[in-house]
Amino acid sequence: MNALFLDRDGVLNRLRNNDYVKSPDELEILPGTAEAITICRRHFDLIIVVTNQQGIGKGLMTEADLKAIHAKLQESVSYGIDRIYSCPHLASDHSFLRKPNIGMALWARRDFPGLRLKSCTMVGDNSTDMLFGRRAGMRTVLVGTNSTSATDRPWLVDLCFPSLLHFARSL
Ligand SMILES: [Mg+2]
């Protein structure tokens, strides 16, 4: 069984300038996201979101806020995401759950017996996501750019696309 692992902010929804998405109102789904998820569902057994949300650890939002944000996200992609894992811990906590550590990938493997991480793909918009994918043995896809020269760690990146929809259409 394979899965498409997706980062959230900057992949499914627009990044906010130096701020977290703290409420459903602040969640702006990127154009093409719903179509991309529809296409990706035909190519992967599971669609899994893995997202660092240290805004919770900082006390800027609550778990209930995050739940409401993810309800809106799911609604906007016609409930096409199988599972959303999030890490609320501060970067300074050095949590094993926080990307680039692979805790959330192992969590998914526990929840979905038969999932082979080596057959999975990780899509993200920064090198933290790429390192997470590499460490978990996945193929890595950087979105938001056309070229590995746009990243400071090109050796972590297998493929680059301007958006998730561009990636989906390449499948
Ligand atoms: Mg991101």
Side-chain angles (χ1 to χ4, degrees):
M1 190 159 65
N2 67 26
L4 178 64
F5 282 80
L6 300 171
D7 171 47
R8 195 194 79 182
D9 300 324
V11 175
L12 301 173
N13 56 281
R14 199 177 299 282
L15 271 181
R16 305 191 77 228
N17 238 344
N18 288 315
D19 198 5
Y20 303 100
V21 175
K22 304 179 297 301
S23 68
D25 285 352
E26 294 178 346
L27 184 77
E28 185 188 348
I29 305 296
L30 287 166
T33 292
E35 184 186 351
I37 295 293
T38 300
I39 296 169
C40 289
R41 288 204 66 82
R42 298 201 291 263
H43 296 272
F44 294 91
D45 300 318
L46 294 168
I47 309 281
I48 295 171
V49 171
V50 284
T51 180
N52 288 346
Q53 294 298 329
Q54 68 167 337
I56 293 174
K58 290 181 178 177
L60 299 171
M61 55 194 280
T62 64
E63 290 280 359
D65 295 327
L66 189 64
K67 205 172 166 190
I69 291 162
H70 289 167
K72 180 179 174 183
L73 172 62
Q74 280 284 30
E75 192 181 359
S76 68
V77 297
S78 303
Y79 302 89
I81 298 166
D82 294 287
R83 193 67 61 90
I84 301 176
Y85 297 102
S86 57
C87 174
H89 304 131
L90 297 171
S92 57
D93 290 341
H94 302 292
S95 166
F96 184 61
L97 279 182
R98 186 176 163 83
K99 294 179 291 181
N101 296 324
I102 65 167
M104 290 192 283
L106 301 185
W107 193 357
R109 196 174 61 181
R110 189 196 63 187
D111 287 349
F112 298 99
L115 183 60
R116 294 188 64 230
L117 294 178
K118 280 187 167 32
S119 308
C120 294
T121 298
M122 173 67 197
V123 178
D125 69 331
N126 64 39
S127 54
T128 300
D129 301 313
M130 300 300 97
L131 187 54
F132 167 87
R134 265 288 184 276
R135 284 174 168 175
M138 302 181 202
R139 177 172 70 153
T140 58
V141 178
L142 185 69
V143 296
T145 178
N146 269 319
S147 145
T148 55
S149 62
T151 171
D152 55 342
R153 289 191 260 185
W155 56 88
L156 294 175
V157 181
D158 292 322
L159 295 168
C160 284
F161 291 94
S163 73
L164 181 62
L165 184 56
H166 284 84
F167 164 71
R169 287 178 173 160
S170 79
L171 291 168

